[in-house]
Amino acid sequence: MGLDSEREEENDDERGGKTASSCLMCCMGLLAFPLVLFLLMWNEKHFVCKNKVVLEAAEKAVWVECDAGKTQDVFAFFTCPVKQSSLQTFTMAAFNGDVDSNVSADIPFSFTAASGSQLVEMYQCQEECTRNDKPVETCTYTMVWAHHKINSNEFVQTKDAETARKVGCPAFELVPSGNPESPRNLHMGSSTNYADAILAGKGNDTSYTINHRLVQMLAPTEPVPLSAFRAAFMGPLDPSSGVNPWTRPMVLAASRLTVSVTGTHLESCAQPAQLGCIRLSFLQSKPADVSVLAHVSSAGEVGPQTFSGGWGCEASSKQWLLPTKMTKDEMIAFLKEEGQSSAWVIRAVGIILSVLSVFCVLQPISAAADIVGDCVRIMPCGSLIEDKLEGMVDWLVCVISLNVGCTCSLLVIALVWAFMRPTYALAALAVAGCCCVGAVGAKKEMGTQDLRQRELRRRRLKGGDDEESGSGSETEAE
């Protein structure tokens, strides 16, 4: 009796846990489902409004020459060479000036571009631990270039971990604080800066002035070659002189840096790298030509163009820039494709999330079937009945979730299009109506043909009966 009561209590606890978890999932689904539908609605509205702006730009923008003197107060498209003399000079202060005002003097390095970025990394010890159903974690240690300080104070402190650190991270135990601090005069990680403005055109007096907002569309992606600066940097830290790479505090200067063999990094250590070594790399955007779709004032200054609203879309101001030479049609096609790609991604994600939300809402049904199955299990062949019951309910929940989630998602998408683009919605309804009419017509035609075949079969059968009766009469007469 005691054992049976304990089992009964365990079963009750298990059923209670299933019920609680299913109710929690149901609440999460009820909360997530309307949010997902709202996301789909916003996505369609955003896509329609963005596409409307692009179509209006394709219709109203006029192609102009690379001469701002001939262009006055017009919504224009132009593709012109960038005046290289108008590019900004980026020094170390452009990325680290707020940390150390003397950093440009300590590290005499600069490059000219429309935009630039700096990446500062430190060679550090990294921990990765896995449990794999074991009571004790198994940790491995490797040396990596990281753009932020890895907090070694949180490392596992066991004998096995210490042994693994000595193997994976040489000299780590020699540093009192573990992974050292970052240099005092540099920003760890990535820092980006943009020119205030650049010029595009054939002459200084007749070039278009590209504003800062457009320049921010020129993301730095091209590595800055550093080989030309090799003579300005005297070499890395020398451990034999008593100054190790992990010595802190550290202020990096030209005397502590060298250009890497590949010419892509400034390094504070000779290879192979050691714990605490610092390396810097730079990216730039230095386009030869730009294609711009924007409003051009009488002074040749480029700014956003105002677009009217309507049909659920608000009035907006837009301007575009691409770092390459292209025609107006090519730029319009690129903007359309860009908007469609992001819209389709959100559509796919939204439909999947809506299906999962409905699945969560229906979890109490699956939990109830599971509990009923537990009760049925005590009957003869109960295990088989339990498996069939739970499998059937789970299959039914999946089918309902898929149908309800997809239907609601597509309905929201269709309603947005019906409100914002009635012409497209009517066209879609017309196509659907034609399909329905065709299906009904095909069904009627199939029914008519079936009736004809039945009539022919009946006549043939009747004709055969008449022939048999006629031959029988002739026999009797003989």
Side-chain angles (χ1 to χ4, degrees), residues 201-254:
K202 296 181 178 179
N204 291 331
D205 297 333
T206 59
S207 295
Y208 298 100
T209 302
I210 309 299
N211 60 61
H212 183 69
R213 293 295 297 274
L214 282 178
V215 174
Q216 288 180 324
M217 297 181 184
L218 298 172
T221 56
E222 178 187 353
V224 177
L226 305 177
S227 299
F229 300 90
R230 199 177 297 275
F233 298 96
M234 302 176 184
L237 295 173
D238 184 9
S240 62
S241 64
V243 182
N244 290 298
W246 58 82
T247 302
R248 295 297 187 271
M250 175 191 286
V251 176
L252 278 183

Side-chain angles (χ1 to χ4, degrees), residues 244-318:
N244 290 298
W246 58 82
T247 302
R248 295 297 187 271
M250 175 191 286
V251 176
L252 278 183
S255 59
R256 292 185 171 186
L257 292 169
T258 186
V259 177
S260 64
V261 176
T262 58
T264 56
H265 293 84
L266 294 177
E267 300 175 338
S268 68
C269 296
Q271 295 299 321
Q274 304 174 56
L275 179 70
C277 291
I278 303 295
R279 71 177 184 182
L280 296 82
S281 59
F282 302 88
L283 297 176
Q284 64 180 349
S285 176
K286 203 171 183 178
D289 301 273
V290 291
S291 298
V292 178
L293 193 62
H295 182 270
V296 179
S297 68
S298 57
E301 296 182 354
V302 176
Q305 172 70 19
T306 302
F307 294 90
S308 60
W311 286 106
C313 298
E314 299 177 353
S316 60
S317 298
K318 298 289 183 181

Side-chain angles (χ1 to χ4, degrees), residues 358-377:
V358 177
F359 182 79
C360 290
V361 171
L362 299 179
Q363 280 307 292
I365 299 177
S366 297
D370 195 1
I371 294 173
V372 172
D374 293 340
C375 298
V376 172
R377 191 189 306 169

Side-chain angles (χ1 to χ4, degrees), residues 218 289-292 320-326 331 334-335:
L218 298 172
D289 301 273
V290 291
S291 298
V292 178
W320 298 272
L321 180 146
L322 293 176
T324 185
K325 189 174 184 178
M326 59 174 53
M331 188 169 186
F334 175 84
L335 296 176

Side-chain angles (χ1 to χ4, degrees), residues 11-20 22 363-378 386 389-390:
N11 292 334
D12 291 341
D13 293 340
E14 185 179 358
R15 296 188 192 106
K18 292 177 182 179
T19 303
S22 64
Q363 280 307 292
I365 299 177
S366 297
D370 195 1
I371 294 173
V372 172
D374 293 340
C375 298
V376 172
R377 191 189 306 169
I378 62 176
E386 178 188 13
L389 175 63
E390 293 178 359

